[in-house]
Amino acid sequence: MVGTGTSRAALAYLKALYALEEESPRSGARGRLGTARRVTTSAIAERLAVSAPSATNMLKRLAARDLVSYEPYKGASLTRKGRAVALEIVRHHRLLETYLVEALGVPWEEAHAEAEALESNLSESVEERMFAALGRPRFDPHGHSIPTRNGAMPKTSRRSLWDVSDGEAVLVAQVPDSHSDALRYLAEVGVLPGVRVTIESRGPIGGPLFVRVEDNEDAPVALSKEITEAIWVH
Amino acid sequence: MVGTGTSRAALAYLKALYALEEESPRSGARGRLGTARRVTTSAIAERLAVSAPSATNMLKRLAARDLVSYEPYKGASLTRKGRAVALEIVRHHRLLETYLVEALGVPWEEAHAEAEALESNLSESVEERMFAALGRPRFDPHGHSIPTRNGAMPKTSRRSLWDVSDGEAVLVAQVPDSHSDALRYLAEVGVLPGVRVTIESRGPIGGPLFVRVEDNEDAPVALSKEITEAIWVH
DNA sequence: CTCTTGATTTAGACAGGACTAATACTGCTC
DNA sequence: GAGCAGTATTAGTCCTGTCTAAATCAAGAG
């Protein structure tokens, strides 16, 4: 299993922390080099649908095990050790998603939840077999890159579809993995990783983006600000 | 996942209870018809490597949820409801074992442990997909029959190899699924489900059984009483 | 019928996780 | 620099599951 001796719940916190560190600060090209971006207690609590005190409580325990560095009122961040565990489980998750979709035909939008249920009990040995069976994939079905076994995470584009200017054509790199309704819709209109899309126009301030999908003669599809912010392109 | 709302630990108890009910009483052709064979607290505790008080405690809680019928000092047995949950998880377990071996090439003797780790988080949907991918198998790699989805358990032979008389030839129906050392050995010498074997001779009282494996010109293999008692034939 | 022994259960603690209510801190505004 | 709003943390409970030590039951031996 993962990060031996680390409970399912603790792993969930580490994973959430990892995700929040990744997505949040964009840190405006600043704050790189060890300036560990701290994540607030409430952000974690919200992400895990747990009360704030529960989060505080768990963060303190994870800190005691040197998996996160936590300073009261200042938020938390993963230690090197905690990051390794988080990456291990992210790898499990994404590999499982890929396997479920590719090998077992699980629908795209259900893969995330199924993988989440299984990820914390997947052994390294089975993981390795799935990895080989899939041909050592580098991306999961949503376009997220799969960390390597020794915990290296390939860099990916961080430009969101929302930030693309009108008329520009870009390649979809990744879409979110949760929110199955949204995923079902994206699959339906063909906005998938690897597909080229062009911004046709956009509605008034904060309004929807009208996107033309390659090889699709239909009317452009309308996508909300929220979803286009979560779609990354290059 | 399984038996919704039932924790991993509780499921382990139900599964153990099911296994113990199955293997124990042989009930000398008597005690059929509803005479629910009661399993002792200590048998469960031993099986799960847990203290006796822990077992008592859990049995009481399972009884409160109407999953087992439990009477102090008299042992416990599964209720209809508990049996259904147990069978569901047994199905998950055996299907997973089969899948791991067939589809992913996990070694025979490791399948049990890997399946155990995953079984309680397998959704019905993924289970169904694995079942279909395998061609709706009826037996797992150790020859145990896989309960149907609606909880019916096909009857199997209950004659143990130990009880076969000298010179008689029988077909191996099933071998145990745990004890990887023993399994590795059985695989090595070719004593597998579906293989025909003949009892050559047996050592002095309680001594090893010497078994000749079909199509194998080598010397007969020696198998202990313990292992031959756990191998079922027809 | 009583005693002894071994299996079981009760009692009492503890660790992990989660919650609500109450308190304390931080940082922004004036 | 004081006040306030909002965020975080502490306090105190609860529920699972597990353990050890102590008490209790059941059943066979005499």
Side-chain angles (χ1 to χ4, degrees), chain A residues 7 23 37 42 45 82 92 95 140 142-143 152 155 172 187 189 200 204:
Chain A
S7 76
E23 61 194 57
R37 332 70 149 164
S42 50
H92 284 193
L95 224 29
D140 76 12
H142 311 99
K155 271 281 161 240
V172 173
V189 300
E200 190 90 348

Side-chain angles (χ1 to χ4, degrees), chain B residues 160-168 170 172 185-186 189 191 197-213 219-231 233:
Chain B
S160 90
L161 181 56
W162 179 252
D163 295 332
V164 175
S165 42
D166 287 19
E168 193 178 350
V170 291
V172 173
Y185 178 69
L186 289 179
V189 300
V191 176
V197 300
T198 311
I199 307 292
E200 190 89 350
S201 63
R202 58 181 76 208
I205 175 100
L209 222 55
F210 293 95
V211 173
R212 180 167 293 283
V213 180
V221 301
L223 298 175
S224 71
K225 177 172 195 277
E226 288 73 27
I227 184 112
T228 51
E229 278 179 336
I231 295 175
V233 302

Side-chain angles (χ1 to χ4, degrees), chain B residues 7 9 13 51 53-54 57-58 61 73:
Chain B
S7 76
Y13 278 88
S51 73
S54 299
N57 178 35
M58 180 61 96
R61 280 191 316 209
Y73 297 102

